[in-house]
């Protein structure tokens, strides 16, 4: 039995949860005031600030006068801060966001005197497979965590190994991050209680001191803690007070033999609360949109702008990272908390959008105003399908798109805008009121191209790009004179230039720019190869084919002949659970058959073909009154629209679902049936593709439902589904179908009595907003059939193409001028290589550069070639510190190891 103990005073601080952020911050300030006073009064006192700098930043924003006091304790090693900015949910954000979280937290801690070099992850709901590599590549050798550790670990530490082989020694907080509190319940009996606890857990410690985490949620330790522990310490069991860093790196010395590889999602030693993957869908979608927008903004700013918008980008990232907290994006807070998270994510996206658009405005200044600029955010060449507003072709002619090299490209007419915007009759005395609508030259969102003034008639002609000058003062004088000369009724018409919405297929270089113009022409556009076509109930593009079955599901045939039948079957069931855990009613009613099916042809090609399938379902309105184990008998008819789309050149089918949710307490899933049952799945996210089976390891107080997270795609057998945002999935029917959760609607943060969880996850606080009642629920994904699975289908690259549309903006140079030539950005060639970031960086010693982060998404070595406008390259660690120069010969050639994350900085 261990003969010594180390107490680590700390708190765990949920920045927002059952109270919103500012309410919790008020408590935080009081708690850290107590910590500082206790530390300054007791030289032996130590405190660990939960591994997240957000708590420190939030405190110092209210107590800026205490910054020097905090820094002094950090420098003395008595206050452990960082390394994270915030304690995140690792599965509900991108791998790049995880890295930026660590970078921003580390930098903030360094400004106060130094970061705790421990990957402290105390309360996350499971852990991603690549976390050991992320920590190791930042120079961090140790981690500490609680949830998700498998039953094979029987000591207090293990080696946690990432898929690439990186390892960190990991302290297993097997009794949670508050295991020392029970020992402290009666201060006069600490010595006795500690002895009992040491005896009860003796098999876990070996020769290392017992670790007692002395803290819990939202409370500072009692200022008398040091006095209590000094009194309880004795020769037979000495007690030391330390930071978590001091315990792990200074007191725990036993050799660790247990090794765990990959993600930690076991239920055997603690709840991992998997229902957070699917509750409050809108937060997951906003997170993905914000991440994508700031990523694109960084790429555009780095490649095409002379302006360094680093401060705006840092603000956007900070708001995203704040929102990744394990009680934020997960949606397990109150409605007002979740509203605040949604607003923060929206603000992050808005900030990034401003940077992105400003960056594109610079090259757009060289593009004529009657043309468009297309920017490709991906480092691989592609043919972009873009939708633009153009001048309509005269009757009998066709629209042709041309690029700078003179080549003609396909155009598909989508719709034509009305040309008569207003037709009014009024007295001559009222004409002046009409002129008040004009702001310099703008009228109804367009610009006045000209006007016709005749007795008792005024006609405005509007255009997006007008010809010639316009003088509002001259018009006012002419209209006043005409009104005086011709009293009585006038007719005033406002006519817009005939315009149309067109789809254009434009080749764009890797990470590059291309300009194009659409105009009426008599030469035929080059045909799309292969082109998209449609009939009343089928779609095809020569690569993939879709047929709508009588029940509204889809039969999808892939490039290699693989057929997936019944795709899109919807299964709705009850949910009597909460924000943390799904729970079916004991007497559930599943609804999977529609009462009506309608199919409508929307577009028939050649660039894009679309069908809309509308199915009507009778879903129970809610659980039964007074009986949460039954669905109520009253149903509501719910039409579910499914937009099915194929595009020229894409080997997958795009699918979007939408409906107005009028039911409470239910879970809706979309099924992709498999030709033959499978025994496992693979999902991509956070720099890895993780394989999982049909079951999950249980043993604690939570039923181990085999529901799992996926970020960019999920694959089972010959079916791969590309995702727009993080999602929950499960292999159901003994591996015969892949089920994606489209909605999980519940009404409480936690329920006290839960059939699949022994203990409450929180207080039973109502959360009516989590029902999403009256909300339009939309999901977007793509189905990719391929017999050889995700690797054969090239899913890593296709998932990025699906998620990242090209960016389009109108030119601002004088209309009619020549188109600028294509511009090339950074290009990355390599199979199964994910590029998670391209951004501008500045080093005081080496100057500006472009940082590129690569991840090998496969279990074999990968050759990668990077080309662009650079002559030097340096490999850096995940904190940006230089590691080694790389030879550059007309480009950079690298070999990435299996699942390796590599960051390089390119300079001219």
């Amino acid at each position: 039995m261990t003969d010594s103990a180390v107490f680590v005073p700390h708190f765990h601080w949920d920045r927002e949860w059952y109270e919103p952020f500012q309410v919790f911050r008020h408590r935080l300030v009081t708690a850290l005031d107590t910590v500082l006073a206790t530390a300054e009064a007791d030289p032996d006192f130590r405190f660990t600030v939960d591994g997240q700098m957000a708590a420190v930043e939030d405190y110092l924003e209210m107590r800026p006068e205490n910054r020097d006091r905090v820094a002094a304790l950090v420098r003395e090693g008595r206050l452990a801060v960082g390394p994270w900015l915030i304690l995140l949910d690792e599965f509900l954000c991108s791998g790049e966001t995880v890295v930026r979280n660590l970078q921003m937290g580390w930098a903030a801690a360094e400004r106060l005197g130094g970061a705790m070099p421990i990957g402290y992850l105390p309360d996350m709901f499971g852990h991603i497979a690549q976390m050991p590599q992320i920590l190791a590549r930042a120079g961090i050798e140790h981690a500490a965590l609680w949830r998700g550790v498998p039953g094979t670990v029987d000591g207090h530490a293990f080696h946690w190994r990432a898929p690439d082989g990186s390892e960190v020694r990991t302290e297993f907080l097997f009794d949670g991050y508050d295991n020392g509190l029970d020992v402290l319940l009666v201060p006069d009996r600490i010595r006795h209680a500690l002895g009992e606890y040491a005896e009860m857990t003796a098999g876990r410690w070996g020769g290392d001191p017992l670790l007692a985490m002395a803290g819990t949620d939202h409370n500072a330790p009692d200022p008398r803690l040091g006095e209590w522990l000094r009194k309880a310490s004795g020769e037979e069991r000495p007690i030391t007070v330390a930071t978590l860093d001091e315990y792990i790196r200074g007191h725990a010395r036993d050799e660790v033999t247990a090794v765990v590889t990959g993600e930690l999602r076991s239920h055997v030693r603690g709840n991992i609360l998997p229902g957070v993957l699917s509750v409050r869908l809108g937060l997951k979608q906003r997170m993905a949109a914000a991440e994508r927008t700031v990523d694109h903004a960084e790429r555009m700013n780095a490649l095409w702008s002379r302006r360094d918008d680093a401060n705006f980008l840092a603000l956007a990232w900070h708001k995203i990272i704040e929102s990744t907290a394990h009680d934020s994006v997960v949606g397990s807070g109150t409605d007002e908390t979740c509203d605040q998270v949604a607003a923060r994510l929206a603000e992050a996206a808005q900030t990034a959008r401003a940077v992105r658009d400003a960056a594109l405005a610079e090259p757009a200044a060289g593009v004529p105003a009657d043309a468009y600029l297309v920017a490709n955010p991906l480092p691989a060449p592609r043919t972009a399908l873009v939708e633009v507003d153009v001048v309509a072709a005269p009757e009998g002619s066709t629209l042709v798109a041309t690029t700078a090299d003179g080549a003609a490209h396909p155009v598909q007419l989508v719709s034509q805008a009305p040309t008569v915007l207003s037709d009014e009759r009024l007295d001559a005395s009222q004409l002046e009121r009409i002129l008040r609508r004009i702001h310099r030259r703008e009228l109804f969102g367009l610009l006045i191209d000209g006007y016709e003034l005749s007795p008792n008639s005024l006609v405005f002609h509007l255009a997006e790009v007008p010809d010639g000058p316009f003088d509002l003062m001259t018009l006012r004088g002419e209209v006043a004179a005409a009104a005086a000369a011709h009293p009585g009724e006038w007719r005033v018409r406002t006519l817009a230039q005939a315009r149309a919405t067109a789809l254009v297929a434009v080749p764009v270089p890797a990470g590059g720019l291309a300009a194009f113009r659409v105009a009426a022409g008599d030469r035929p556009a080059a045909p799309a190869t292969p082109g998209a076509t449609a009939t009343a109930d089928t779609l095809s593009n020569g690569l993939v084919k879709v047929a709508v079955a009588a029940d509204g599901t889809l039969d999808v045939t892939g490039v290699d002949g693989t057929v997936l039948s019944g795709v899109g079957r919807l299964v709705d069931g009850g949910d009597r659970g909460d924000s943390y855990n799904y729970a079916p009613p004991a007497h559930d009613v599943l609804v999977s058959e529609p009462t009506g099916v309608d199919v409508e042809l929307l577009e028939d090609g050649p660039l894009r073909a679309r069908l809309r399938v509308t199915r009507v379902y009778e879903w129970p309105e809610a659980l039964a009154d007074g009986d949460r184990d039954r669905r109520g008998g009253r149903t509501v008819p719910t039409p579910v629209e499914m937009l099915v789309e194929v595009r020229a050149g894409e080997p997958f089918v795009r699918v979007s679902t939408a409906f107005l949710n009028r039911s409470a307490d239910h879970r809706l899933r979309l099924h992709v049936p498999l030709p033959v049952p499978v025994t496992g799945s693979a999902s991509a996210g956070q720099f890895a593709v993780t394989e999982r089976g049909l079951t999950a390891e249980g043993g604690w107080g939570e039923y181990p439902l085999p529901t799992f997270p996926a970020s960019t795609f999920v694959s089972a057998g010959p079916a791969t589904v590309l995702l727009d945002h993080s999602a929950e999935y499960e292999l159901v029917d003994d591996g015969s179908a892949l089920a994606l959760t489209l909605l999980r609607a519940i009404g409480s943060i936690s329920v006290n009595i839960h059939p699949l969880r022994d203990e409450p996850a929180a207080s039973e606080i109502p959360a009516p907003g989590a029902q999403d009642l009256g909300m339009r629920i939309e999901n977007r994904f793509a189905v990719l059939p391929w017999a050889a699975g995700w690797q054969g289908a090239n899913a890593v690259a296709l998932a990025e193409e699906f998620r990242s549309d090209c960016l389009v903006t109108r030119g601002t140079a004088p209309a009619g001028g020549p188109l600028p030539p294509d511009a090339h950005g950074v290009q990355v060639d390599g199979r199964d290589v994910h590029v998670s970031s391209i951004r501008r960086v500045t080093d005081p010693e080496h100057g500006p550069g472009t940082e590129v982060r690569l991840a090998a998404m496969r279990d074999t070595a990968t050759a990668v070639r990077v080309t662009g406008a650079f002559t030097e390259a340096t490999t850096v660690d995940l904190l940006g510190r230089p590691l080694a120069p790389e030879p550059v010969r007309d480009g950079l050639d690298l070999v990435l190891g299996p699942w390796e994350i590599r960051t390089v900085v390119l300079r001219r």
Side-chain angles (χ1 to χ4, degrees):
M1 184 169 62
T2 182
D3 59 0
S4 61
V6 175
F7 278 74
V8 174
H10 76 103
F11 57 42
H12 174 54
W13 206 272
D14 300 296
R15 195 169 186 260
E16 53 201 356
W17 181 18
Y18 57 82
E19 294 284 7
F21 162 57
Q22 297 295 359
V23 174
F24 268 143
R25 172 148 75 172
H26 193 271
R27 294 172 59 178
L28 170 70
V29 170
T30 300
L32 280 178
D33 280 347
T34 299
V35 168
L36 294 187
T38 302
E40 289 167 345
D42 183 353
D44 294 330
F45 185 76
R46 303 286 191 271
F47 192 79
T48 299
V49 193
D50 205 27
Q52 54 176 335
M53 281 300 297
V56 181
E57 287 186 348
D58 294 341
Y59 173 76
L60 290 178
E61 191 173 342
M62 295 296 105
R63 293 278 195 267
E65 68 277 12
N66 287 345
R67 185 176 185 87
D68 289 344
R69 296 173 66 195
V70 171
L73 291 170
V74 172
R75 287 193 300 269
E76 292 170 13
R78 298 172 57 209
L79 192 68
V81 297
W84 300 102
L85 178 59
I86 207 160
L87 296 181
L88 71 164
D89 187 287
E90 300 166 32
F91 292 97
L92 292 176
C93 62
S94 70
E96 186 62 30
T97 300
V98 178
V99 172
R100 301 304 180 91
N101 188 339
L102 184 57
Q103 290 176 344
M104 295 183 82
W106 190 275
E110 286 293 297
R111 291 192 290 270
L112 282 175
M116 176 176 71
I118 307 295
Y120 188 43
L121 307 162
D123 198 29
M124 287 72 159
F125 308 148
H127 304 279
I128 59 174
Q130 287 281 38
M131 183 59 77
Q133 184 178 181
I134 291 171
L135 295 174
R137 288 183 181 269
I140 297 174
E141 299 176 347
H142 299 269
L145 49 83
W146 168 31
R147 304 185 194 265
V149 177
T152 55
V153 175
D154 55 10
H156 73 102
F158 61 95
H159 288 292
W160 186 14
R161 182 178 297 162
D164 78 311
S166 301
E167 289 186 2
V168 290
R169 181 200 177 278
T170 302
E171 187 68 27
F172 176 27
L173 308 176
F174 56 90
D175 277 337
Y177 54 78
D178 58 356
N179 70 312
L181 288 190
D182 287 348
V183 174
L184 301 174
L185 282 176
V186 182
D188 290 339
R189 290 180 54 81
I190 290 175
R191 183 181 303 178
H192 177 75
L194 180 60
E196 289 184 336
Y197 182 70
E199 184 176 355
M200 181 175 62
T201 60
R204 292 226 167 231
W205 301 109
D208 284 338
L210 181 151
L211 170 62
M213 298 293 290
T216 188
D217 297 357
H218 316 130
N219 285 286
D222 192 293
R224 297 167 293 175
L225 176 63
E227 176 187 337
W228 296 344
L229 294 178
R230 281 189 289 271
K231 182 178 178 181
S233 181
E235 292 184 4
E236 72 282 3
R237 182 167 287 108
I239 294 174
T240 304
V241 175
T243 64
L244 183 63
D245 178 27
E246 289 173 327
Y247 174 80
I248 290 175
R249 297 202 298 158
H251 294 278
R253 300 186 178 279
D254 267 10
E255 182 179 351
V256 177
T257 58
V259 177
V260 178
T261 299
E263 70 176 1
L264 305 179
R265 289 194 63 84
S266 170
H267 306 254
V268 73
R269 293 293 303 181
N271 297 338
I272 64 168
L273 310 171
V276 299
L277 298 172
S278 53
V279 74
R280 297 197 193 255
L281 168 72
L283 293 183
K284 281 66 171 175
Q285 293 174 325
R286 284 182 181 270
M287 174 61 69
E291 289 176 323
R292 190 155 50 238
T293 306
V294 73
D295 175 37
H296 292 177
E298 284 190 329
R299 298 183 188 213
M300 297 303 106
N301 182 260
L303 296 173
W304 307 116
S305 178
R306 293 181 297 273
R307 171 175 167 170
D308 185 352
D309 269 330
N311 288 340
F312 284 97
L313 292 166
L315 174 64
W317 273 116
H318 199 287
K319 290 186 176 296
I320 288 172
I321 293 164
E322 288 176 76
S323 304
T324 65
H326 64 289
D327 286 303
S328 296
V329 70
V330 298
S332 61
T334 61
D335 288 352
E336 60 181 342
T337 293
C338 293
D339 289 345
Q340 188 172 28
V341 176
R344 190 185 301 130
L345 287 169
E347 191 175 351
Q350 293 155 8
T351 304
R353 188 179 74 208
V355 173
R356 180 199 68 193
D357 293 349
L360 286 178
E362 295 183 41
V367 176
D370 60 341
Y372 285 90
L373 179 72
V374 182
N376 178 11
L378 300 183
R382 64 198 293 200
T383 296
L385 188 62
V386 297
E387 191 169 304
V388 292
D389 177 74
V390 298
V391 177
E395 188 173 350
S397 62
T398 186
L399 291 174
V400 176
T402 54
T403 45
D405 58 3
H409 300 280
V411 174
Q412 176 180 328
L413 186 65
V414 175
S415 64
Q416 192 136 343
T419 56
V420 180
L421 302 185
S422 71
D423 189 346
E424 304 166 89
R425 295 182 184 274
L426 65 162
D427 189 79
S429 62
Q430 301 298 311
L431 286 178
E432 175 60 27
R433 295 176 60 188
I434 294 291
L435 300 184
R436 294 175 193 167
R437 299 173 180 169
I438 303 170
H439 300 275
R440 291 176 292 278
R441 191 170 190 166
E442 182 270 331
L443 177 60
F444 296 162
L446 297 171
L447 300 177
I448 296 175
D449 193 32
Y451 58 90
E452 301 171 30
L453 182 62
S454 58
N456 300 96
S457 175
L458 174 60
V459 181
F460 291 107
H461 295 278
L462 309 183
E464 287 202 351
V465 183
D467 292 325
F470 168 76
D471 188 336
L472 179 58
M473 298 306 297
T474 298
L475 172 64
R476 288 183 182 278
E478 292 177 354
V479 169
H486 303 281
E489 184 179 77
W490 277 66
R491 184 183 185 188
V492 180
R493 290 183 295 160
T494 306
L495 307 179
Q497 184 181 42
R499 303 196 68 83
T501 300
L503 283 173
V504 185
V506 183
V508 194
L513 307 174
F516 71 95
R517 177 185 280 119
V518 178
D522 52 10
R523 55 177 175 160
T529 305
T533 60
T535 68
D537 58 3
T538 66
L539 302 175
S540 178
N541 64 3
L543 298 175
V544 64
K545 181 179 180 181
V546 186
V548 182
D551 63 355
T553 62
L554 311 176
D555 295 335
V556 182
T557 304
V559 176
D560 63 351
T562 296
V563 178
L564 302 175
S565 299
V567 172
R569 179 174 181 257
L570 298 179
V571 180
D572 184 78
D575 190 344
R576 57 148 300 173
D578 52 32
S579 66
Y580 292 102
N581 295 81
Y582 160 77
H587 307 285
D588 202 359
V589 173
L590 299 180
V591 180
S592 60
E593 299 303 320
T595 58
V597 178
D598 180 69
V599 182
E600 180 184 2
L601 174 62
L602 301 179
E603 298 174 14
D604 59 2
L607 298 179
R608 183 175 72 191
R610 284 176 161 179
L611 292 168
R612 179 165 56 220
V613 181
T614 303
R615 292 171 285 178
V616 180
Y617 295 87
E618 290 287 339
W619 291 340
E621 189 176 43
L623 296 178
D625 290 340
D627 185 358
R628 293 186 58 79
D629 268 324
R630 295 182 186 275
R631 300 189 81 177
R634 181 176 176 181
T635 64
V636 289
T638 306
V640 180
E641 296 179 354
M642 183 167 66
L643 184 65
V644 188
E645 173 184 320
V646 298
R647 296 183 180 183
E650 290 185 345
F652 50 81
V653 180
R654 295 171 180 257
V655 180
S656 302
T657 60
F659 63 93
L660 183 69
N661 183 43
R662 299 170 61 199
S663 298
D665 304 307
H666 70 127
R667 180 181 70 174
L668 177 66
R669 286 178 150 187
L670 181 141
H671 285 210
V672 180
L674 305 173
V676 295
V678 298
T679 59
S681 63
S683 77
Q686 298 86 30
F687 305 124
V689 179
T690 302
E691 295 185 356
R692 305 182 179 101
L694 299 179
T695 61
E697 183 183 35
W700 185 248
E702 178 180 63
Y703 186 82
L705 286 174
T707 53
F708 299 113
S711 292
T712 56
F713 68 80
V714 57
S715 183
T720 297
V721 179
L722 312 180
L723 301 171
D724 177 68
H725 57 84
S726 60
E728 173 192 86
Y729 78 91
E730 182 179 359
L731 289 176
V732 297
D733 302 331
D734 297 322
S736 295
L738 174 65
L740 297 175
T741 304
L742 303 184
L743 174 69
R744 200 168 71 81
I746 50 86
S748 181
I749 290 180
S750 177
V751 293
N752 292 335
I753 305 299
H754 193 294
L756 302 184
R757 190 185 64 230
D758 288 351
E759 58 179 330
S763 299
E764 193 167 275
I765 300 173
Q771 296 281 16
D772 280 330
L773 286 169
M775 302 295 292
R776 183 170 172 83
I777 307 301
E778 299 181 353
N779 283 274
R780 188 175 78 96
F781 52 92
V783 179
L784 174 60
W786 202 280
W790 66 269
Q791 283 187 302
N794 196 24
V796 171
L798 292 178
E800 287 303 299
E801 287 191 23
F802 171 69
R803 291 165 68 94
S804 296
D805 289 333
C806 283
L807 310 171
V808 186
T809 188
R810 183 186 288 278
T812 56
L819 298 176
D822 290 356
H824 295 256
V826 173
Q827 180 164 336
V828 177
D829 296 301
R831 180 81 175 191
D832 295 332
V833 174
H834 170 55
V835 180
S836 73
S837 173
I838 300 174
R839 64 164 176 162
R840 182 198 305 259
V841 293
T842 300
D843 183 285
E845 182 178 351
H846 302 97
T850 302
E851 182 188 84
V852 180
R853 190 155 13 260
L854 313 163
M857 303 286 280
R858 61 193 300 176
D859 58 6
T860 58
T862 304
V864 181
R865 182 164 176 78
V866 184
T867 52
F870 62 92
T871 56
E872 300 178 3
T874 304
T875 292
V876 300
D877 72 4
L878 283 187
L879 296 179
R881 298 172 295 204
L883 297 176
E886 302 288 350
V888 175
R889 300 181 185 86
D890 298 323
L892 173 62
D893 291 295
L894 301 170
V895 176
L896 301 186
W899 308 108
E900 180 185 354
I901 304 167
R902 179 84 69 90
T903 308
V904 294
V905 175
L906 313 176
R907 291 188 171 88
R908 295 175 185 262

